[in-house]
Amino acid sequence: MYSSSLAALVLAALAGTAQPQPAPAPTHELTITVSDHGSADGVQRLRCSPAGGDHPRAADACAAIEAAQAPFAPLADGTLCTRVYGGPATARVEGVWDGQRVAAEFSRTDGCEIARWDALVPALPRVGNHS
């Protein structure tokens, strides 16, 4: 009887000393701002792992970003691109991805920029016949 009472006291003391740990900072949380697209203009929040936020296709958007190679990297200086205009739509993506701060601009001003944009559809909205 003595040992079970002692064990109960030890367990109670240990339970009382445990400090709640803060939740880990999100590692995949983005704000996507789209302009000059028309119906898709606005701001959406996207969380991944697990997918959430107010993005209408959060799981698919997360998968597109994860599949893209260097999704937030700008074009390298001197990159040769086709002179194809994909429209006035622009997007800004800011937040945290894989625990790193990101801030990326997207447009559809030439073939390279169109390809960068299209690689992230549906995180970015589908545009015209180029997506």
Side-chain angles (χ1 to χ4, degrees), residues 2 12 17-18 22 45 56-57 61 66 72 77 79 84 101 104 110-111 127:
Y2 175 73
T17 60
R45 283 156 196 81
R57 295 182 58 197
E66 289 168 359
F72 307 113
D77 287 340
T79 301
V84 176
R101 299 271 333 140
D110 60 39
V127 176

Side-chain angles (χ1 to χ4, degrees), residues 7-46:
L9 285 172
V10 169
L11 286 175
L14 288 175
T17 60
Q19 296 295 319
Q21 297 297 315
T27 60
H28 297 82
E29 189 165 8
L30 302 171
T31 299
I32 302 168
T33 305
V34 176
S35 301
D36 297 321
H37 178 280
S39 62
D41 283 4
V43 177
Q44 297 174 336
R45 283 156 196 81
L46 175 65

Side-chain angles (χ1 to χ4, degrees), residues 71-93:
F72 307 113
L75 291 175
D77 287 340
T79 301
L80 298 177
C81 302
T82 59
R83 297 184 89 179
V84 176
Y85 181 64
T90 61
R92 178 156 180 84
V93 178

Side-chain angles (χ1 to χ4, degrees), residues 54-125:
D54 61 7
H55 193 287
R57 295 182 58 197
D60 293 335
C62 293
I65 294 170
E66 289 168 359
Q69 185 155 356
F72 307 113
L75 291 175
D77 287 340
T79 301
L80 298 177
C81 302
T82 59
R83 297 184 89 179
V84 176
Y85 181 64
T90 61
R92 178 156 180 84
V93 178
E94 298 177 290
V96 177
W97 190 261
D98 279 337
Q100 302 294 312
R101 299 271 333 140
V102 297
E105 301 282 339
F106 294 86
S107 69
R108 300 183 61 82
T109 56
D110 60 39
C112 296
E113 290 294 344
I114 292 169
R116 281 183 71 227
W117 182 294
D118 288 352
L120 297 187
V121 169
L124 299 179

